[in-house]
Amino acid sequence: MRGGRVVLAVTGAVDWATAGALRATALEEIAAGARKLVLDFSLLSFWDSSGMGAVASAYRSASQVGASVALAGLSPTLEKTYRLTGMDKVVPLHRDVRTALTA
């Protein structure tokens, strides 16, 4: 953590089997004082509704303490799915981590 900013690099797939770990890690970082949590999905190959649920959970927890959550680096295919859900209107999506940290 640097200046309240935390980047979690997520690789592989976030699905029913792994979403709980993402959710738990994000919530731990928020509880530890993260004020800006960036989920780096640049190496993510797949996610389903469980993964999106983990992001929503992190967003709700962050909002309760005045913190924020952002996503960075989704592939074009995963970005399309994310935008179709409308979640991009709640949890912002950025091209890369650097952009997310400075937004």
Side-chain angles (χ1 to χ4, degrees), residues 28-48:
E28 286 172 13
E29 292 295 340
I30 293 164
R35 291 296 157 247
K36 182 166 208 157
L37 178 65
V38 176
L39 302 174
D40 179 3
F41 284 171
S42 60
L43 296 176
L44 189 70
S45 59
F46 174 82
W47 70 338
D48 64 10

Side-chain angles (χ1 to χ4, degrees), residues 5 38 72 94-103:
R5 301 181 309 170
V38 176
H94 299 278
R95 177 175 32 97
D96 55 38
V97 170
R98 184 179 307 227
T99 305
L101 287 172
T102 58

Side-chain angles (χ1 to χ4, degrees), residues 2-101:
R2 186 171 196 180
R5 301 181 309 170
V6 174
V7 176
L8 293 180
V10 182
T11 62
V14 178
D15 56 19
W16 67 271
T18 59
L22 172 59
R23 180 180 296 107
T25 302
L27 298 181
E28 286 172 13
E29 292 295 340
I30 293 164
R35 291 296 157 247
K36 182 166 208 157
L37 178 65
V38 176
L39 302 174
D40 179 3
F41 284 171
S42 60
L43 296 176
L44 189 70
S45 59
F46 174 82
W47 70 338
D48 64 10
S49 60
S50 302
M52 291 186 206
V55 171
S57 180
Y59 169 78
R60 281 189 302 274
S61 293
S63 295
Q64 291 174 350
V65 296
S68 66
V69 176
L71 273 58
L74 276 175
S75 71
T77 302
L78 297 179
E79 179 179 343
K80 181 178 179 182
T81 303
Y82 187 67
R83 290 189 188 282
L84 284 172
T85 67
M87 281 188 61
D88 62 310
K89 305 218 179 349
V90 178
V91 180
L93 173 62
H94 299 278
R95 177 175 32 97
D96 55 38
V97 170
R98 184 179 307 227
T99 305
L101 287 172

